[in-house]
Amino acid sequence: MKKELTYAVIGTGALGGYYGGMLARAGKDVRFQVRTGYETVKKEGLFVESCDGDFRLPRIACCQKTSEMEPVDVVLVCLKTTANDLLPEMLKPLLKKDTLVVLVQNGLLFEEELSAALPGTAVAGASAFICSFKVAPGHIRHCDFGHISMALLKNTPAAGGILETVCADLSASGVRAEREPDLAALRWRKLVWNIPYNGMTVVLETSTDKIMRDPATRSLAKDLMLETLLGASACGVSIGEDFVEKMLAYTDTMVPYAPSMKLDYDAKRPMEIKGIYSNPLKAALEKGTDLPKIRTLERLLYFKQNEYLKES
Amino acid sequence: MKKELTYAVIGTGALGGYYGGMLARAGKDVRFQVRTGYETVKKEGLFVESCDGDFRLPRIACCQKTSEMEPVDVVLVCLKTTANDLLPEMLKPLLKKDTLVVLVQNGLLFEEELSAALPGTAVAGASAFICSFKVAPGHIRHCDFGHISMALLKNTPAAGGILETVCADLSASGVRAEREPDLAALRWRKLVWNIPYNGMTVVLETSTDKIMRDPATRSLAKDLMLETLLGASACGVSIGEDFVEKMLAYTDTMVPYAPSMKLDYDAKRPMEIKGIYSNPLKAALEKGTDLPKIRTLERLLYFKQNEYLKES
């Protein structure tokens, strides 16, 4: 019989709390790193209020720092990418030969950056299609969707069949999880939604439904999606224009929604501008492709962020 | 001896109050149309607080409506372009053979639109380089600069030497006024400043100095200027890149400033999006040139405006 995988979840928030919680509920070996509110979570465990049914895990294996944790087979990194500078150091105590690190994050090029910082480590990326947020330490609210797509970084050290097993474990835990062949394609497809809505909801201090209702911003959302397709194409990822129509229609069906960047902005936290804007712009520009509308939004976002980060 | 020109000033605000006031102070025949606060201005006249020296005109010739006024030689239109739909009707009572209408306004294509609405009328445009605003009816504050450049619309009916005389009258009144050979060049040059700063101060709810201080928006300001040069070039107007550097340096020297569009936004008045953004975009696009960064700003501005105009 095959050995069960051991998991570490870094960051027990909207994503880590949900996906890690689902795996733990299903009996998988999951250890959580909980930075904020560690004492509470240690004592009270995890509570996931979910549109698919609430559940409570009264006791979970958790530590405040990764240096207190053991090496594992799989690390699910569920931190904001704004903390990625610290990631190599945080990961080191968790790594053994063949550990697979999965970045359950938004944005482009972070897998490449991590792989460069930790040569020899197997790296994958995952895009979560989910509406969820952290209500309080150990208390996650999952409002809508929930599926997750994963892909190995190109030329990553052979991670064997681990990623397949991760997908199987998630599926067995009640999460729709699928493995994709191409990480760049996975990342760019997610950007088609993230680029227009994250930035516009922040710059205009509004929500997705209002953007969709106003003809000016509805057309700009579409333009930004089409520019994202250009960037993807420059990087060798082909996405059809029908995908743009699908994303617009999908957004129309959503409840009025504040994307994660808008939540960060409202809370005056650093925003994921690098992964969602600067890195895609850089990747496209390296292939000679300019994305001027996305660049405009990126510039405006840095101004918005500098306004409050300089204050603090 | 040459007959003195008669003037009508439509709109006695930041521009009409200042330029009309300067002409009237110098003894020129100027009649003012005062829409808001007419009774006050009729009784108390005009007060110009100016960085070049304050002055008061206790009595000015004024009417509330142009239909109460006589035809004149020169009409200085000093209204916001957001009221330009009403302009042909407003102008009719003031026109005789050879009346010259000068649009002292911001933005592109309004002279062409007026000429199409009033065929046979001589039309010119003027760009005012001035920091001024209306404090109250008949009370204008002039903070900085003040020169004005004028040019005839191409193929406008022969306005004889009237425009020369207008410039001479203004110069004799203490205003630095010059005639330029090319209206399109005059308009596009002014847009090089107006396009970045009007839009960005509104979208980011900030002022010019903060835009210049942040490297992200400083570079975006430059990019928007360079895109404006592309649009100008498509329309046959050549502006050198040194002009961009000059405008950036000029803005660095300015006191923290809220451009007119920002004042309109703060007061929840309609903004001059059409003249400063949509018409230049249209003119460039007709020549096959796309201006994506300017388009992005235009879309964001319409959203901002729709938020409060829909409310009212």
Side-chain angles (χ1 to χ4, degrees), chain A residues 238-263:
Chain A
S238 168
I239 307 175
E241 288 198 19
D242 57 322
F243 188 69
V244 167
E245 293 306 327
K246 202 176 128 188
M247 283 297 103
L248 291 169
Y250 158 79
T251 312
D252 280 328
T253 67
M254 283 169 66
V255 290
Y257 185 60
S260 64
M261 187 173 279
K262 178 63 163 52
L263 299 179

Side-chain angles (χ1 to χ4, degrees), chain B residues 15 19 76-79 102-106 125-126 128 148 150 187:
Chain B
L15 299 178
Y19 291 111
L76 301 179
V77 177
C78 300
L79 297 170
V102 186
L103 302 189
V104 187
Q105 296 187 314
N106 278 318
I148 187 166
M150 306 186 163
R187 287 297 182 218

